[in-house]
Amino acid sequence: MRTPVVFDLIAGARPNFMKIAPIIDALTRIGAAGSTPGLQRDPGGLRYRLIHTGQHYDRKMSGEFFEQLGIPEPEINLEVGSGTQAEQTAAIMTRYEKVLMNQRSDLCLVVGDVTSTMACAIVAKKMGVRVAHVEGGIRSGDLSMPEEINRMVTDSITDFFFTTSETANHNLRRSGVAEDRIFFVGNTMIDTLMKQMPRLRPPPFWEHRGLKPGQYFVLTLHRPANVDEITQLKAMLDAVIEGTRGLPVVFPVHPRTRKQLDSSSITGNHSSLFCVDPLGYLEFNFLVQQAKAVITDSGGITEESTVMHVPCLTLRDNTERPETITLGTNELIGTHPARLKPALDTLFAGNWKKGSIPPLWDGRAAERIVQHLRTIFFKAET
Ligand code: UD1
């Protein structure tokens, strides 16, 4: 009889949920197939605890994603809520430490680059619990972004790296990580997209806004560099409105950006700019799939638009996902509003690149992760 293995799956903020969902699916499938019978019930196999840190807590930023993606109720919710990054980090660390003191786990699996990722990795490692990082190794080189610091800290104490790209593998090797700790598995965010593709559905306003495939834009903005200075935010919105030539621009507004808009004289109102609350996964990706193009400062959306072959204009000066540019449909436009119009002119002229899908972004990344986890845990016996 095997000694039971308990490991933690950490999810905290919106971009984590689509990365964790397929891992749970893959665990369940293997359990159902009998190779790891019963999972959570099986005394001799893999058992996981899903831990939600509560970094994102609004229904629209969290609950709806759990429902739409079929993620089970978390076993533990640390309920940290809002705060500065230091406050959130401290609260997550204190509360996760208590969880581990109550019941130790054999591994802590974190995904992505948010505050929850770094905070839980630190706690686990300090308590002698091994750390696995899904989406390890990616780097923007831009330390003004909290996510880059989270990536560097997390990767410096990670035992097992599950990577999305050759660039990530290269970054890890260059920093001295041994080959046998790097597992190039593909992209779990794309696993979710591929699974959910048939279920994507129009948001409720699709009809009455008269949106037509290929004849509107999707805009998302939430990075401090674009939204924390009100003059920059206004200049960017003006540039978007001007460059999109009167086509509708659907703008699901992130809470951080909403606070800025509400506290300023910018209403976000314009006949072609349509501000809406954050959308569910199925509605948001339907909008992306049918859009003429996406204008964004997100990282994950550049991956999704690449896979859906939708042009993507990124309002950042750098990216940790260079394959979305070299292979995909993404271009870095920068944070200077004046650079948007020439790029949109290229798009309207029909000259945007078509792009291809990066290696191993095939919907099976989570399956590979679970296979590797089994090898890691049960190596001695197999
Ligand atoms: C976080 C991630 C970022 C990711 C983004 C996606 C970090 C460092 N950043 O940034 O990488 O792209 O999520 O959304 O982890 N808020 C709500 N309701 C919520 C969640 C947040 O109102 O459910 C408010 C918070 O009070 C805060 C603001 O939104 O004022 C920002 O939330 P926070 O978790 O600090 O970081 P994000 O900017 O969302």
Side-chain angles (χ1 to χ4, degrees):
M1 174 71 90
R2 281 174 174 148
T3 320
V5 166
V6 179
F7 69 105
D8 292 337
L9 295 176
I10 308 293
R14 185 172 60 178
N16 288 167
F17 306 139
M18 41 293 235
K19 294 171 191 167
I20 217 88
I23 301 176
I24 295 174
D25 272 358
L27 286 163
T28 309
R29 270 201 310 277
I30 289 183
S35 51
T36 309
L39 284 174
Q40 289 188 308
R41 297 175 302 275
D42 174 29
L46 290 176
R47 299 172 57 177
Y48 68 87
R49 292 191 296 200
L50 177 59
I51 300 180
H52 191 329
T53 65
Q55 180 183 341
H56 284 178
Y57 48 86
D58 279 357
R59 203 188 129 61
K60 287 195 154 72
M61 301 293 288
S62 174
E64 202 167 342
F65 284 78
F66 273 69
E67 279 165 30
Q68 292 194 347
L69 303 181
I71 306 173
E73 215 28 55
E75 200 158 319
I76 296 164
N77 193 324
L78 304 179
E79 292 179 344
V80 295
S82 289
T84 65
Q85 301 223 359
E87 285 166 346
Q88 285 181 322
T89 305
I92 296 168
M93 287 182 70
T94 315
R95 295 177 195 190
Y96 183 46
E97 186 183 49
K98 284 208 176 78
V99 169
L100 285 182
M101 285 192 307
N102 259 339
Q103 194 195 349
R104 222 185 122 77
S105 72
D106 294 295
L107 181 115
C108 170
L109 183 143
V110 294
V111 300
D113 55 19
V114 301
T115 304
S116 305
T117 310
M118 176 188 74
C120 290
I122 295 175
V123 173
K125 193 67 182 175
K126 285 198 166 183
M127 292 184 71
V129 172
R130 293 180 297 179
V131 174
H133 185 196
V134 173
E135 206 186 82
I138 63 175
R139 295 286 183 277
S140 67
D142 178 356
L143 275 98
S144 71
M145 286 172 54
E147 293 82 359
E148 183 69 356
I149 298 170
N150 295 341
R151 290 181 200 115
M152 291 167 70
V153 172
T154 304
D155 284 349
S156 69
I157 51 175
T158 288
D159 296 277
F160 308 109
F161 298 86
F162 296 117
T163 64
T164 50
S165 68
E166 276 298 359
T167 312
N169 301 340
H170 174 75
N171 291 339
L172 291 170
R173 283 183 203 121
R174 208 180 41 183
S175 64
V177 176
E179 202 63 45
D180 63 356
R181 293 199 287 135
I182 305 173
F183 304 94
F184 180 25
V185 292
N187 193 327
T188 58
M189 197 166 190
I190 301 308
D191 291 5
T192 291
L193 183 64
M194 290 186 172
K195 178 179 173 192
Q196 301 297 340
M197 202 80 91
R199 296 179 60 224
L200 301 185
R201 61 190 187 204
F205 53 79
W206 175 262
E207 291 273 331
H208 80 259
R209 275 279 156 176
L211 298 175
K212 302 249 170 1
Q215 291 183 44
Y216 66 90
F217 288 83
V218 176
L219 171 68
T220 81
L221 285 174
H222 76 287
R223 298 261 170 231
N226 284 323
V227 307
D228 281 3
E229 282 293 330
I230 206 72
T231 44
Q232 166 73 8
L233 177 57
K234 181 165 177 2
M236 203 52 111
L237 290 178
D238 288 344
V240 169
I241 291 165
E242 191 204 333
T244 49
R245 305 184 182 184
L247 285 184
V249 178
V250 182
F251 182 22
V253 185
H254 183 279
R256 171 191 285 277
T257 315
R258 169 61 65 197
K259 277 187 194 160
Q260 281 295 83
L261 290 177
D262 288 350
S263 68
S264 74
S265 56
I266 311 178
T267 58
N269 281 340
H270 182 274
S271 59
S272 68
L273 184 67
F274 181 29
C275 296
V276 294
D277 283 342
L279 292 167
Y281 182 86
L282 301 174
E283 291 80 8
F284 182 76
N285 281 291
F286 177 91
L287 278 185
V288 170
Q289 186 189 40
Q290 303 294 327
K292 183 170 186 65
V294 180
I295 304 170
T296 187
D297 59 5
S298 153
I301 294 170
T302 68
E303 299 181 339
E304 291 163 337
S305 51
T306 280
V307 169
M308 293 191 269
H309 301 287
V310 172
C312 182
L313 292 78
T314 293
L315 304 176
R316 288 174 52 189
D317 295 316
N318 47 60
T319 178
E320 58 290 335
R321 296 163 163 93
E323 62 284 353
T324 62
I325 297 172
T326 52
L327 300 172
T329 54
N330 184 26
E331 281 297 342
L332 279 187
I333 308 303
T335 51
H336 198 296
R339 290 192 46 200
L340 191 55
K341 188 171 178 306
L344 285 166
D345 288 344
T346 305
L347 177 79
F348 277 106
N351 293 332
W352 203 263
K353 58 188 175 182
K354 300 286 172 260
S356 61
I357 298 180
L360 296 189
W361 291 18
D362 59 359
R364 301 184 52 199
E367 211 175 291
R368 297 185 187 104
I369 290 172
V370 170
Q371 284 308 329
H372 287 307
L373 285 176
R374 286 178 53 76
T375 312
I376 289 164
F377 288 132
F378 303 129
K379 198 159 40 187
E381 302 170 38
T382 47

